[in-house]
Amino acid sequence: MSLSADSAAAAHVVTPGRRLGLTQEYEAGPGTYVRNGMIYASILGERKTKTEAVATTTTTEGEGGAGRTDEPPATPANATIYVERRSTRYAIPVIGSEVLARVVRINPRAASVAIMMVDAAPCQEEFHGTVRVQDIRATEKDLVQMIASFRPGDIIRAEVISLGDQRSYYLATTRNEHGVVFAQSEAGNSMVPVSWEEMLDPRTQAVEKRKCAKPVAATV
């Protein structure tokens, strides 16, 4: 079995929950998970592909009945798509930036988060952010409950709406593509979104409330 070099042209920065490709076209590799025939990123990093060539052998009968093994050229298998962590370029948040952040703690009024990535570039240092309860959804804001939107440990995609103070940025998840992109259930299993406000633990079938981000397709 021979392994080709990774294609540099196929490398793109992706965030958890980003669509990578179809299982009909790719094998799921490290840093990914599969749901309903679609491969998604489970970590922050570069989307890459690698192709393996599988060699097959056949045996033919030669002179005197002696067997001879023929080795035809290897046939290409489906490419494996995977996500590799990267930390080569850095950025800082500004108003309008799309960020990826980890929820650190919550209270009924706001969620405190640690910003990890800004506009497809990882942060060199940790920036702090706040998502106020009124900035979670665009409609029915008076009905929003923090405990039903985010939990500590969740990874969210959000937009910077204000620089705030003391290096704490105000973030919003009012857009459809913003919200929770990766979360673990109370049982410790990775969950998948089943609606804009619910996520499912595939192992226990337990459903938990979240403000889910609409999946955003990556360029393949």
Side-chain angles (χ1 to χ4, degrees), residues 79-161:
T80 297
I81 195 165
Y82 64 100
V83 180
E84 184 177 85
R85 297 184 187 275
R86 62 171 295 185
S87 57
T88 56
R89 189 167 58 90
Y90 305 108
I92 59 174
V94 296
I95 295 176
S97 294
E98 184 178 80
V99 301
L100 196 72
R102 176 175 52 84
V103 178
V104 178
R105 58 185 176 273
I106 63 174
N107 62 47
R109 298 180 303 277
S112 298
V113 304
I115 299 173
M116 305 180 297
M117 184 175 183
V118 180
D119 292 330
C123 297
Q124 187 174 14
E125 57 183 300
E126 187 175 274
F127 296 96
H128 301 285
T130 300
V131 184
R132 298 170 296 186
V133 68
Q134 65 265 33
D135 296 324
I136 293 176
R137 282 166 44 184
T139 59
E140 300 180 330
K141 296 185 177 184
D142 56 327
L143 300 179
V144 177
Q145 292 184 319
M146 184 61 67
I147 193 66
S149 303
F150 309 133
R151 300 283 181 89
D154 289 354
I155 304 298
I156 67 169
R157 185 185 301 124
E159 180 184 4
V160 178
I161 58 173

